[in-house]
mmCIF file of all heavy atoms in Angstrom:
data_model
loop_
_atom_site.group_PDB
_atom_site.id
_atom_site.type_symbol
_atom_site.label_atom_id
_atom_site.label_comp_id
_atom_site.label_asym_id
_atom_site.label_seq_id
_atom_site.Cartn_x
_atom_site.Cartn_y
_atom_site.Cartn_z
ATOM 1 N N VAL A 40 -29.934 -79.500 -14.619
ATOM 2 C CA VAL A 40 -30.279 -80.542 -15.577
ATOM 3 C C VAL A 40 -29.314 -80.485 -16.744
ATOM 4 O O VAL A 40 -29.511 -79.762 -17.695
ATOM 5 C CB VAL A 40 -31.727 -80.372 -16.073
ATOM 6 C CG1 VAL A 40 -32.085 -81.496 -17.028
ATOM 7 C CG2 VAL A 40 -32.655 -80.381 -14.897
ATOM 8 N N ALA A 41 -28.233 -81.235 -16.618
ATOM 9 C CA ALA A 41 -27.199 -81.129 -17.634
ATOM 10 C C ALA A 41 -27.105 -82.381 -18.488
ATOM 11 O O ALA A 41 -26.687 -82.327 -19.619
ATOM 12 C CB ALA A 41 -25.857 -80.851 -16.973
ATOM 13 N N THR A 42 -27.502 -83.517 -17.936
ATOM 14 C CA THR A 42 -27.275 -84.761 -18.673
ATOM 15 C C THR A 42 -28.553 -85.263 -19.339
ATOM 16 O O THR A 42 -29.652 -84.985 -18.889
ATOM 17 C CB THR A 42 -26.784 -85.867 -17.725
ATOM 18 O OG1 THR A 42 -27.864 -86.189 -16.837
ATOM 19 C CG2 THR A 42 -25.590 -85.416 -16.921
ATOM 20 N N GLU A 43 -28.346 -86.017 -20.365
ATOM 21 C CA GLU A 43 -29.495 -86.565 -21.078
ATOM 22 C C GLU A 43 -30.229 -87.589 -20.241
ATOM 23 O O GLU A 43 -31.431 -87.731 -20.345
ATOM 24 C CB GLU A 43 -29.036 -87.174 -22.393
ATOM 25 C CG GLU A 43 -28.673 -86.095 -23.376
ATOM 26 C CD GLU A 43 -28.471 -86.647 -24.767
ATOM 27 O OE1 GLU A 43 -28.759 -87.832 -24.991
ATOM 28 O OE2 GLU A 43 -28.029 -85.876 -25.612
ATOM 29 N N SER A 44 -29.500 -88.340 -19.412
ATOM 30 C CA SER A 44 -30.187 -89.383 -18.641
ATOM 31 C C SER A 44 -31.120 -88.748 -17.610
ATOM 32 O O SER A 44 -32.220 -89.232 -17.380
ATOM 33 C CB SER A 44 -29.183 -90.313 -17.962
ATOM 34 O OG SER A 44 -28.363 -89.573 -17.113
ATOM 35 N N GLU A 45 -30.681 -87.638 -17.008
ATOM 36 C CA GLU A 45 -31.574 -86.932 -16.072
ATOM 37 C C GLU A 45 -32.796 -86.415 -16.814
ATOM 38 O O GLU A 45 -33.921 -86.547 -16.344
ATOM 39 C CB GLU A 45 -30.842 -85.745 -15.449
ATOM 40 C CG GLU A 45 -30.071 -86.076 -14.207
ATOM 41 C CD GLU A 45 -29.485 -84.808 -13.614
ATOM 42 O OE1 GLU A 45 -28.526 -84.290 -14.191
ATOM 43 O OE2 GLU A 45 -30.024 -84.338 -12.606
ATOM 44 N N ALA A 46 -32.539 -85.805 -17.960
ATOM 45 C CA ALA A 46 -33.653 -85.274 -18.748
ATOM 46 C C ALA A 46 -34.591 -86.403 -19.166
ATOM 47 O O ALA A 46 -35.797 -86.239 -19.215
ATOM 48 C CB ALA A 46 -33.117 -84.531 -19.970
ATOM 49 N N ASP A 47 -34.017 -87.571 -19.411
ATOM 50 C CA ASP A 47 -34.825 -88.741 -19.745
ATOM 51 C C ASP A 47 -35.813 -89.072 -18.643
ATOM 52 O O ASP A 47 -36.969 -89.378 -18.906
ATOM 53 C CB ASP A 47 -33.914 -89.962 -19.936
ATOM 54 C CG ASP A 47 -33.724 -90.284 -21.396
ATOM 55 O OD1 ASP A 47 -34.407 -89.656 -22.230
ATOM 56 O OD2 ASP A 47 -32.905 -91.157 -21.686
ATOM 57 N N GLY A 48 -35.330 -88.995 -17.388
ATOM 58 C CA GLY A 48 -36.194 -89.288 -16.239
ATOM 59 C C GLY A 48 -37.358 -88.318 -16.188
ATOM 60 O O GLY A 48 -38.510 -88.716 -15.970
ATOM 61 N N ILE A 49 -37.045 -87.060 -16.418
ATOM 62 C CA ILE A 49 -38.099 -86.048 -16.408
ATOM 63 C C ILE A 49 -39.087 -86.324 -17.541
ATOM 64 O O ILE A 49 -40.292 -86.234 -17.392
ATOM 65 C CB ILE A 49 -37.504 -84.627 -16.576
ATOM 66 C CG1 ILE A 49 -36.600 -84.320 -15.406
ATOM 67 C CG2 ILE A 49 -38.600 -83.597 -16.686
ATOM 68 C CD1 ILE A 49 -35.997 -82.946 -15.494
ATOM 69 N N LEU A 50 -38.518 -86.720 -18.645
ATOM 70 C CA LEU A 50 -39.342 -86.983 -19.812
ATOM 71 C C LEU A 50 -40.331 -88.116 -19.548
ATOM 72 O O LEU A 50 -41.484 -88.077 -19.981
ATOM 73 C CB LEU A 50 -38.422 -87.348 -20.976
ATOM 74 C CG LEU A 50 -39.030 -87.356 -22.354
ATOM 75 C CD1 LEU A 50 -39.624 -85.996 -22.658
ATOM 76 C CD2 LEU A 50 -37.964 -87.708 -23.370
ATOM 77 N N ASP A 51 -39.860 -89.133 -18.800
ATOM 78 C CA ASP A 51 -40.759 -90.244 -18.478
ATOM 79 C C ASP A 51 -41.967 -89.742 -17.690
ATOM 80 O O ASP A 51 -43.102 -90.111 -17.982
ATOM 81 C CB ASP A 51 -40.015 -91.319 -17.665
ATOM 82 C CG ASP A 51 -39.077 -92.114 -18.552
ATOM 83 O OD1 ASP A 51 -39.304 -92.118 -19.790
ATOM 84 O OD2 ASP A 51 -38.129 -92.720 -18.029
ATOM 85 N N ASP A 52 -41.706 -88.894 -16.691
ATOM 86 C CA ASP A 52 -42.810 -88.303 -15.919
ATOM 87 C C ASP A 52 -43.727 -87.509 -16.837
ATOM 88 O O ASP A 52 -44.945 -87.570 -16.747
ATOM 89 C CB ASP A 52 -42.288 -87.315 -14.872
ATOM 90 C CG ASP A 52 -41.583 -88.022 -13.740
ATOM 91 O OD1 ASP A 52 -41.695 -89.259 -13.665
ATOM 92 O OD2 ASP A 52 -40.924 -87.342 -12.954
ATOM 93 N N TYR A 53 -43.075 -86.778 -17.692
ATOM 94 C CA TYR A 53 -43.794 -85.877 -18.586
ATOM 95 C C TYR A 53 -44.758 -86.651 -19.473
ATOM 96 O O TYR A 53 -45.908 -86.302 -19.664
ATOM 97 C CB TYR A 53 -42.734 -85.155 -19.420
ATOM 98 C CG TYR A 53 -43.214 -84.067 -20.323
ATOM 99 C CD1 TYR A 53 -44.060 -83.076 -19.862
ATOM 100 C CD2 TYR A 53 -42.796 -84.027 -21.640
ATOM 101 C CE1 TYR A 53 -44.481 -82.067 -20.700
ATOM 102 C CE2 TYR A 53 -43.212 -83.016 -22.480
ATOM 103 C CZ TYR A 53 -44.062 -82.039 -22.001
ATOM 104 O OH TYR A 53 -44.475 -81.054 -22.827
ATOM 105 N N ARG A 54 -44.261 -87.786 -19.954
ATOM 106 C CA ARG A 54 -45.081 -88.629 -20.826
ATOM 107 C C ARG A 54 -46.193 -89.312 -20.054
ATOM 108 O O ARG A 54 -47.190 -89.724 -20.636
ATOM 109 C CB ARG A 54 -44.214 -89.689 -21.473
ATOM 110 C CG ARG A 54 -43.379 -89.144 -22.598
ATOM 111 C CD ARG A 54 -43.104 -90.269 -23.563
ATOM 112 N NE ARG A 54 -42.458 -89.790 -24.764
ATOM 113 C CZ ARG A 54 -41.199 -90.051 -25.060
ATOM 114 N NH1 ARG A 54 -40.456 -90.750 -24.233
ATOM 115 N NH2 ARG A 54 -40.692 -89.604 -26.178
ATOM 116 N N ALA A 55 -46.002 -89.440 -18.744
ATOM 117 C CA ALA A 55 -46.985 -90.169 -17.941
ATOM 118 C C ALA A 55 -48.244 -89.328 -17.723
ATOM 119 O O ALA A 55 -48.961 -89.497 -16.749
ATOM 120 C CB ALA A 55 -46.373 -90.598 -16.614
ATOM 121 N N GLY A 56 -48.460 -88.373 -18.591
ATOM 122 C CA GLY A 56 -49.740 -87.687 -18.598
ATOM 123 C C GLY A 56 -49.797 -86.402 -17.797
ATOM 124 O O GLY A 56 -50.859 -85.981 -17.358
ATOM 125 N N LYS A 57 -48.649 -85.752 -17.584
ATOM 126 C CA LYS A 57 -48.673 -84.475 -16.878
ATOM 127 C C LYS A 57 -49.212 -83.383 -17.797
ATOM 128 O O LYS A 57 -49.197 -83.507 -19.026
ATOM 129 C CB LYS A 57 -47.263 -84.099 -16.423
ATOM 130 C CG LYS A 57 -46.678 -85.064 -15.437
ATOM 131 C CD LYS A 57 -47.082 -84.709 -14.045
ATOM 132 C CE LYS A 57 -46.304 -85.572 -13.063
ATOM 133 N NZ LYS A 57 -46.586 -85.238 -11.693
ATOM 134 N N ARG A 58 -49.610 -82.295 -17.174
ATOM 135 C CA ARG A 58 -50.187 -81.191 -17.926
ATOM 136 C C ARG A 58 -49.128 -80.515 -18.790
ATOM 137 O O ARG A 58 -48.007 -80.331 -18.386
ATOM 138 C CB ARG A 58 -50.746 -80.168 -16.925
ATOM 139 C CG ARG A 58 -51.679 -79.178 -17.521
ATOM 140 C CD ARG A 58 -52.530 -78.568 -16.438
ATOM 141 N NE ARG A 58 -51.735 -78.216 -15.268
ATOM 142 C CZ ARG A 58 -51.917 -77.103 -14.584
ATOM 143 N NH1 ARG A 58 -52.835 -76.247 -14.948
ATOM 144 N NH2 ARG A 58 -51.205 -76.859 -13.513
ATOM 145 N N ASN A 59 -49.495 -80.157 -19.965
ATOM 146 C CA ASN A 59 -48.572 -79.478 -20.868
ATOM 147 C C ASN A 59 -49.375 -78.499 -21.692
ATOM 148 O O ASN A 59 -50.262 -78.886 -22.417
ATOM 149 C CB ASN A 59 -47.890 -80.506 -21.774
ATOM 150 C CG ASN A 59 -47.020 -79.848 -22.816
ATOM 151 O OD1 ASN A 59 -46.511 -78.747 -22.594
ATOM 152 N ND2 ASN A 59 -46.855 -80.495 -23.940
#
Side-chain angles (χ1 to χ4, degrees):
V40 182
T42 67
E43 287 191 8
S44 59
E45 272 185 287
D47 257 352
I49 297 181
L50 193 57
D51 286 339
D52 289 349
Y53 186 49
R54 284 207 172 110
K57 297 274 189 177
R58 196 160 44 139
N59 175 28

